Amino acid sequence: MAKILIVEDEQEIRELVSAYLRNDQFEVDAEEDGKMALNRIKSNHYDLIILDLMLPSLSGEKICEEVRTFSNVPILMLTAKSDLSDKVFGFRIGADDYLTKPFEPIELLERVRALLRRSQNDRPKATLLRVLNGRILIDTESLRVTKDGVEIPLTTNEFKILMVLLSNPNRVFSRDEIIEQAFGMEYDSFDRAIDTHIKNIRAKLEDDSKHPMMIKTIYGAGYRAELTYDTEA
Ligand code: CA
């Protein structure tokens, strides 16, 4: 359920919009004061903000500018300011949509739905890599690896190397390429250090590290992740 903050100092509108959104199964917080609103946004997660512009203590424009320094949360400006220059300014400082008062609640609701749909599509999907027919699961967001349902602790360096190889399973990566892609150009390491990391990854994840199924050594060239995997939302 999406959580929405409505910032609006006119009680009637605040209550009307809140009621409409709640009726449509949204979770709604309501705030009438500008500074209080900014504090709420800083300390809570919202999926969308409906923002009036003329507010006590801090204007909606200032709130929007400040929010954009730390968040991409969709912002719908809801305001009596109907001049083109106000709208242009609103979009320039980071609004995603702009609706002028008076408005029809049904239109607001549809705009809210459209914004949420768009922002959910933009969100990067959590990726679960499935290796060895799903025996090994790698969650690239939480950096967790499990094998046969048991969590396998990898070091950060091991994880980075594994991600490089898995980024293109049919490609052979040289030791230099692995170092560069996993750690960056400035990383000061001789290429054989990669061998040690690979050995450790195999010891943790392969059934038989002498006959690896996952990470193959390509003599004279480097390493290749030999596997098929699919990504899941
Ligand atoms: Ca107002």
Side-chain angles (χ1 to χ4, degrees):
M1 186 168 55
K3 193 173 175 187
I4 298 173
L5 174 67
I6 166 144
V7 187
E8 171 62 75
D9 60 329
E10 285 169 68
Q11 187 184 0
E12 200 180 322
I13 294 179
R14 194 171 62 241
E15 287 176 357
L16 174 77
V17 171
S18 299
Y20 251 85
L21 293 170
R22 287 196 182 110
N23 190 46
D24 208 53
Q25 311 302 319
F26 292 111
E27 193 181 340
V28 182
D29 280 353
E31 180 56 63
E32 57 194 290
D33 176 81
K35 279 185 181 161
M36 298 288 284
L38 186 56
N39 287 339
R40 268 183 191 265
I41 297 164
K42 281 179 176 166
S43 51
N44 293 278
H45 169 81
Y46 292 107
D47 297 293
L48 185 139
I49 295 163
I50 297 170
L51 187 61
D52 180 26
L53 295 184
M54 290 178 278
L55 291 165
S57 86
L58 191 64
S59 73
E61 290 93 333
K62 286 272 186 285
I63 294 172
C64 186
E65 283 179 310
E66 179 70 22
V67 168
R68 282 293 173 255
T69 64
F70 62 87
S71 170
N72 287 321
V73 61
I75 295 177
L76 187 158
M77 288 182 172
L78 179 63
T79 173
K81 291 186 175 182
S82 57
D83 288 352
L84 181 61
S85 61
D86 290 320
K87 290 183 188 174
V88 169
F89 183 66
F91 283 116
R92 291 244 168 103
I93 60 175
D96 296 282
D97 200 358
Y98 198 103
L99 187 60
T100 51
K101 299 171 187 170
F103 63 98
E104 292 294 334
I106 185 72
E107 183 180 357
L108 176 69
L109 192 59
E110 290 308 323
R111 284 173 184 264
V112 163
R113 284 192 184 138
L115 283 171
L116 287 170
R117 226 166 27 233
R118 215 178 302 151
S119 73
Q120 273 151 13
N121 288 340
D122 288 350
R123 194 169 298 162
K125 290 187 168 68
T127 305
L128 195 63
L129 301 178
R130 303 159 65 86
V131 182
L132 294 180
N133 297 322
R135 288 181 58 205
I136 296 174
L137 300 176
I138 301 165
D139 185 328
T140 60
E141 199 145 313
S142 66
L143 311 187
R144 281 208 168 139
V145 181
T146 60
K147 183 182 178 189
D148 299 329
V150 179
E151 188 159 348
I152 308 289
L154 294 188
T155 67
T156 309
N157 285 348
E158 288 163 3
F159 198 89
K160 285 179 176 170
I161 290 167
L162 192 57
M163 284 302 101
V164 171
L165 295 171
L166 290 175
S167 70
N168 200 338
N170 294 314
R171 184 175 178 283
V172 180
F173 289 87
S174 71
R175 291 173 178 80
D176 281 344
E177 282 177 317
I178 295 171
I179 291 171
E180 192 182 317
Q181 293 191 27
F183 309 119
M185 294 284 274
E186 66 282 4
Y187 187 76
D188 188 24
S189 168
F190 66 107
D191 60 5
R192 293 288 153 183
I194 291 298
D195 296 352
T196 307
H197 287 308
I198 297 278
K199 196 172 146 220
N200 293 335
I201 295 169
R202 282 175 173 158
K204 290 177 182 179
L205 292 179
E206 299 277 5
D207 289 339
D208 176 0
S209 53
K210 293 232 161 53
H211 301 94
M213 301 293 291
M214 243 183 97
I215 302 175
K216 301 277 189 182
T217 304
I218 311 300
Y219 290 99
Y223 294 99
R224 181 177 72 199
E226 186 160 304
L227 43 93
T228 53
Y229 70 89
D230 55 305
T231 56
E232 284 187 350

